[in-house]
Amino acid sequence: MNTRNQKILAIVPAFNECGNIGRTVSEIHRLSPGIDVLVINDGSSDDTPHEAMEAGAKVISLPFNLGIGAAVQTGFKYAKAHQYDIAVQIDGDGQHDPSFVEQLIDPICRREADMVVGSRFLEKNGYQSSFSRRIGINFFVHLINVLTGANITDPTSGFRAYGKKLINLFSEYYPYDFPEPEAIVVTQQAGGKIVELPVVMRAREAGSSSIRYFKTLYYMMKVTLAILLHMIRQRPQI
């Protein structure tokens, strides 16, 4: 795939990912050398920003922990300000395999999609997530399909690529907390085309997920309410 005429940014939100972030940045640079890497340090109390810079990433440090939505939106604002054509969202915890980045970018380069979601469930290879999280995933699969007709198998996946229209949209509005399912609805309602591709995800090697067992019900209720509120608001267009 020829991406030489595309300006591409990897947005890597990170909160206390020391031990993971340097390896993630290095992998992105090694596997996709033409892609710039921006780490959004979301108020980490460990050595995450220094480790990211040592690995060759640009780093923006937020003043305190603002959450995944604010961190990713910061990346979109940077991408818009610096006129990137494509943004790739990839977690800093090592679970997203950067060897799939080029595949996620390809449909956008071909103008076949505005958003490409990396799904661990299309081919069911690799790490399939925890039992409690799979409950939430299955719930959102059915909810989003009923509300929008979008046949998305992995709506909570944060391994995604975005074209310029969505960079512009999400730099102005991006869901704040647990944003991935709502971002799919926003894209669908705005007239964007979403494509899913199979990826293999890995279990994290250090740290722990921010979504644990006791948060699953809260996560489902909060995101469902946000999606329903979005459905009745004025719809953005791209």
Side-chain angles (χ1 to χ4, degrees):
M1 175 187 58
N2 181 12
T3 61
R4 292 183 181 275
N5 61 340
Q6 303 286 329
K7 191 176 180 183
I8 303 168
L9 179 70
I11 299 171
V12 187
F15 174 62
N16 289 342
E17 292 294 355
C18 188
N20 290 317
I21 191 65
R23 181 169 53 251
T24 298
V25 172
S26 296
E27 277 193 291
I28 297 171
H29 281 312
R30 176 171 57 84
L31 295 167
S32 300
I35 295 178
D36 296 331
V37 181
L38 174 68
V39 171
I40 310 299
N41 170 40
D42 190 18
S44 299
S45 58
D46 63 7
D47 207 26
T48 290
H50 181 260
E51 186 176 305
M53 286 187 286
E54 285 289 300
K58 299 179 178 70
V59 176
I60 294 177
S61 289
L62 302 180
F64 48 86
N65 181 237
L66 295 176
I68 181 66
V72 173
Q73 188 177 27
T74 299
F76 284 125
K77 288 181 178 293
Y78 181 95
K80 180 180 179 181
H82 292 82
Q83 299 183 332
Y84 282 90
D85 300 298
I86 298 172
V88 182
Q89 180 185 342
I90 181 168
D91 285 354
D93 59 12
Q95 289 188 286
H96 297 162
D97 184 346
S99 67
F100 289 94
V101 165
E102 297 292 327
Q103 295 177 40
L104 296 183
I105 290 169
D106 187 52
I108 296 175
C109 291
R110 297 177 185 276
R111 299 184 179 180
E112 296 171 352
D114 298 295
M115 174 192 287
V116 181
V117 178
S119 171
R120 77 204 90 178
F121 301 124
L122 282 174
E123 295 183 350
K124 298 186 183 300
N125 294 321
Y127 179 63
Q128 298 290 288
S129 193
S130 66
F131 174 75
S132 62
R133 187 154 184 169
R134 286 199 304 272
I135 292 173
I137 292 169
N138 288 330
F139 173 81
F140 288 118
V141 166
H142 294 293
L143 178 68
I144 291 172
N145 186 51
V146 167
L147 292 178
T148 71
N151 187 21
I152 303 298
T153 66
D154 198 354
T156 68
S157 170
F159 196 10
R160 301 179 176 187
Y162 308 83
K164 198 160 192 173
K165 291 178 181 179
L166 287 182
I167 290 173
N168 293 336
L169 173 62
F170 288 143
S171 70
E172 299 299 326
Y173 170 77
Y174 191 71
Y176 175 71
D177 202 8
F178 310 128
E180 289 85 4
E182 188 181 351
I184 288 175
V185 175
V186 172
T187 299
Q188 186 83 357
Q189 296 296 96
K193 184 176 181 181
I194 305 171
V195 169
E196 263 194 318
L197 293 178
V199 298
V200 176
M201 294 192 186
R202 308 177 290 205
R204 65 161 54 232
E205 296 184 13
S208 60
S209 172
S210 62
I211 301 176
R212 303 301 294 273
Y213 306 106
F214 69 93
K215 286 188 175 181
T216 300
L217 182 60
Y218 167 76
Y219 168 80
M220 292 166 63
M221 292 175 61
K222 188 177 191 305
V223 177
T224 298
L225 179 60
I227 288 173
L228 293 174
L229 287 174
H230 174 77
M231 296 290 291
I232 63 176
R233 290 201 301 260
Q234 183 177 0
R235 300 175 182 180
Q237 295 296 315
I238 61 172

